[in-house]
Every structure is written in C-alpha cells, then in structure tokens.
Amino acid sequence: MKVLVRFGELMLKGKNKKLFINKLVHHTKNKFKNLEVSFDLRHDQFFLEFDEKLELEVIKRLKEIPGIHSFSVVYTTTKELEDIKELALSVLKKELDNNKKYSFKIESKRADKNYYLTSQEFTKEIAPMILNETNNLVVDVKNPEVVLNINIRLDQVFMYLSSIKGMGGFPATIAGKGLLMMSGGIDSPVAAVLAIKQGILVELIHFESTPLTPLESINKVSDLAGKLAKFLPNGKIRLHVVPFFKIHEAILNNISDSYVITIMRRIMYKIAETYANNHDIDVLVNGESVGQVASQTLSSMKVIENVTNIPIIRPLATYDKSDVIDIAKNIDTYNISVRPFNDCCSIYVPKSPVINPTIKRALQEELRFDFEPLIQNAIDNIMSFYVHEEEKIDFSMYGFSFTESFNNWREK
C-alpha cells in the first residue's frame, strides 16, 4: 500500500525550499523509524509504502507531523487501459457506498509525456469504461461529490479518491526556539501545538507551588507534555519546572488582593524571559486569549508584559473557547487538562481581580516586598527534564514537594 504526501505551503519558500523539505522528510522518517515503511521522495511530494495492516497507524502518525499539507492513500497499476479500469472499479467499490448515488468526475494528469494519449484523451477513453460498469455515478465536471484522480507516471499509474488534511504549517523547529508558559489548563497545550505547527521548537516552563498545590498538578503538566512530544521530530519535549512556592507565598502575604494575579504573572514573565535569554530561546509563547479572564484584558496584558523585552506570541489571542476545546480534544489533551488539580494561577483567585491595572500601581505593589532574591533563587533552582511521547510519570510516588520528588525520581 502507498500514501502520497504533499508539502503544500513549503513549495512557496523559494531558495529555502530544500531546507524546509529536508526538515520535513527527516521528521517523517523519525516518526516511522519503528515501522516497516519505505520512502520515495519526489520533487514536491513523497510516497510512503507499507503493509496494508499498518494503514490506520500510518494515517494517525502523518496527522501529527507539522508541514504536511495533505495526503492520500493511493492505488497503483500498469498503464494498460483495462488494468486502469479494473483498479478504478475496485477503488470506487471499496471507498464508496454502492447503495448511494454520487456526482462524479475523473481528473487525469500525465507525468509521462510520451504516453500515447493526452490527459483529455485519456479521460474520454477511461470514463465510459468505468461508467458502463457502475450504476451509482452521474457525471458532473463542475461540482462533483467524488473526484477520481488518475496520474500516469513513467513506470506506473496511481489513483486516489480523497485527500486527508494534514497539520499544515511548517516543519517543526524550522523557525527557532520558543518557551511556552505551561499551565495545566486547556489553553496552553493548544497554544503549544499551534506554535509547533508554525515551525517553533517549543520548550515548556511551568511554575509549581507544592505543597500549596498538589503534586498531581505536576503530573497533569507532565502528561500534557507527553501528548505534545508526539508533534516534535524526536518524540520528546523539554519541560522546565520553576520552584515558585516561596514567591507565591510572599505575593499572597504582601500584595493587595486585587493585584495578586497581576504581580504573580509579572514575576513569572521576568523568570521566563531570564531563562529564555540565558538559553538562546527567541520568544515566549502563552495560551492567553483576549478578554477571557481578568489577567487577559488588553490593559492587563500591557501591564504584565511591561517587565519584558522579549517577543511574546499568543497563538490563541482571538480564539473562542469552544474552538480551543475542539482543538484540545483533537490533539488528545482535553481530558488531561480538565482533571481537578489546580496550579499556582488557579489555587487562589481574588474575589475582585483588577481588570484594568496600571503600571504605576503595579510598581507600587512590588515595592511592598523585595522579590529579587526570591526570583534569583527560583531561576537558580529550575528543574529541567525531557518528557517522551505518551510518557507518564507519577511524581506523587517520590516525595511531598516537587523538588524532593524530582530529585528522588531522577536518582531512581
């Protein structure tokens, strides 16, 4: 069995096209390294060949590779008209409901310019041969429900009926590195996948506050990372965990209730930017959507990111929540995200968080306590590790705080 894989947007990249295609092919080969799949690279597409029993797994994995525009299961035969007709009838019978009528068109292409029929002549020859032996197809060349694509190549003919939509975008890692501010909620994993889709090599940074928050909240984040890893070429993603408890405690004890979330997020941005700058990471990424909560009003975003100079990307800025949930379900992160374990941003929510904060007031609030030593200590003690595709780690088995648990897990 064969699958035809199309590059789509990559073909617009001019002189850089080869670099983009090589990245995509490398990712695809990594994705299938444990399956018996062979590759046939062509100018603007490539073929995968495999045993029919692997079809569902191959389709699943292709949907997880950024940069693939679409793909089709293709069927091959000789260049003899009778063989082409027989294969076409077999494909139509396999993929269509024979009890239903369809409007129908044949789309022919002739890669072999020496073939004795032109594309139009070939269509005129083959169409009656197919229609004469079916009773559920009606020709409609303008708006057909079914298009049978037939491509006459130098060595063979291949055909397919449907195209399966891929992730699109660009090959993972082609655009540079981004540090995604990862919560255990619905939004940030979706933002991560959208960033990966645009070629960003995403690493994750999470702020943990055990024992104020449960270790199960770290398990959520780690499990989500395992879901995201499948979209990256090596099947693993780097997770950085910031020990945030002392800062969290100082904020709750010293900052006015309405400004708690604003100051907390400003400090998180300071830490994330410092880490990014120290590790050659180009941008910060987050799952904010305009107006979704108090900290995501435009004025809140302005005040919070005032502490940074690094570019900040918000893939979900204009998304409706229902659209985000649909994507989360599609990438298989939703059921993990809705587990009832709070992270440090949701463990304490002020009764009346400020919706329109000001920079002046935020700076005044931050003068209530010297946070700099705590910030530096948190940066110095960030715990980093790789999470592999679908890997599950139960940190609650290794200790009571995450630092203790992480050290015990690492030593096991």
Side-chain angles (χ1 to χ4, degrees), residues 136-249:
N136 63 333
L137 300 177
V138 179
V139 174
D140 182 352
V141 297
K142 291 186 178 180
N143 190 31
E145 296 171 279
V146 174
V147 177
L148 178 62
N149 296 270
I150 303 178
N151 195 319
I152 304 166
R153 307 192 71 86
L154 293 174
D155 54 344
Q156 64 185 348
V157 167
F158 71 76
M159 66 181 69
Y160 61 91
L161 270 186
S162 58
S163 292
I164 301 169
K165 185 176 174 60
M167 282 187 71
F170 304 115
T173 79
I174 197 78
K177 294 173 70 173
L179 183 64
L180 182 123
M181 301 177 75
M182 182 75 172
S183 73
I186 297 170
D187 299 332
S188 54
V190 174
V193 171
L194 294 179
I196 292 169
K197 176 183 170 182
Q198 292 308 114
I200 297 175
L201 173 56
V202 166
E203 296 185 8
L204 312 174
I205 188 166
H206 176 72
F207 298 83
E208 69 85 19
S209 285
T210 55
L212 191 60
T213 55
L215 271 170
E216 285 82 359
S217 68
I218 301 290
N219 290 346
K220 276 179 68 175
V221 171
S222 179
D223 288 352
L224 288 168
K227 293 293 183 182
L228 299 178
K230 66 186 175 185
F231 298 103
L232 289 174
N234 294 320
K236 62 182 181 180
I237 193 165
R238 195 156 173 77
L239 173 59
H240 312 285
V241 180
V242 181
F244 202 69
F245 170 70
K246 291 181 180 178
I247 297 173
H248 197 171
E249 193 175 45

Side-chain angles (χ1 to χ4, degrees), residues 65-83:
I65 302 174
I68 290 179
H69 176 261
S70 65
F71 55 94
S72 299
V73 176
V74 299
Y75 306 85
T76 61
T77 188
T78 73
K79 294 157 74 172
E80 296 296 325
L81 281 177
E82 190 64 28
D83 291 341

Side-chain angles (χ1 to χ4, degrees), residues 16-74:
N16 292 322
K17 184 170 65 176
K18 186 175 181 180
L19 172 64
F20 278 69
I21 291 174
N22 286 344
K23 281 275 189 181
L24 178 57
V25 171
H26 172 74
H27 187 169
T28 307
K29 287 184 176 181
N30 269 352
K31 194 75 171 175
F32 291 99
K33 63 185 178 183
N34 64 341
L35 292 182
E36 290 188 20
V37 175
S38 62
F39 289 78
D40 179 11
L41 180 62
R42 305 294 175 94
H43 169 63
D44 57 354
Q45 57 197 17
F46 62 85
F47 292 89
L48 303 181
E49 190 163 2
F50 50 90
D51 190 280
E52 188 173 354
K53 66 184 180 183
L54 296 175
E55 179 180 357
L56 292 179
E57 182 64 21
V58 168
I59 289 173
K60 172 184 172 292
R61 294 190 189 192
L62 286 172
K63 288 181 177 180
E64 298 168 353
I65 302 174
I68 290 179
H69 176 261
S70 65
F71 55 94
S72 299
V73 176
V74 299

Side-chain angles (χ1 to χ4, degrees), residues 248 252 257 260-261 294 342 344-353:
H248 197 171
L252 295 178
D257 190 69
V260 161
I261 298 298
N342 293 323
C344 61
C345 285
S346 56
I347 195 72
Y348 173 77
V349 178
K351 292 181 180 178
S352 300

Side-chain angles (χ1 to χ4, degrees), residues 91-102 135-137 146 161:
V91 171
L92 291 166
K93 183 178 180 180
K94 177 182 179 181
E95 296 200 13
L96 300 182
D97 182 350
N98 291 322
N99 296 315
K100 180 181 176 182
K101 285 194 176 293
Y102 299 90
N135 57 14
N136 63 333
L137 300 177
V146 174
L161 270 186

Side-chain angles (χ1 to χ4, degrees), residues 311-372:
I312 299 169
I313 295 175
R314 295 179 172 87
L316 305 183
T318 61
Y319 277 57
D320 291 335
K321 191 68 175 184
S322 60
D323 295 329
V324 177
I325 289 173
D326 287 344
I327 298 173
K329 290 178 178 178
N330 187 50
I331 63 175
D332 199 25
T333 58
Y334 179 78
N335 289 335
I336 300 172
S337 294
V338 296
R339 291 179 193 166
F341 299 107
N342 293 323
D343 57 26
C344 61
C345 285
S346 56
I347 195 72
Y348 173 77
V349 178
K351 292 181 180 178
S352 300
V354 61
I355 296 174
N356 294 303
T358 65
I359 294 172
K360 180 179 179 181
R361 173 69 185 277
L363 291 171
Q364 290 173 344
E365 291 289 335
E366 288 170 351
L367 290 174
R368 293 169 174 260
F369 190 83
D370 183 8
F371 288 98
E372 290 306 321

Side-chain angles (χ1 to χ4, degrees), residues 395-408:
F395 286 106
S396 64
M397 296 178 61
Y398 297 98
F400 294 100
S401 70
F402 180 71
T403 299
E404 177 189 13
S405 179
F406 175 75
N407 288 331
N408 290 336

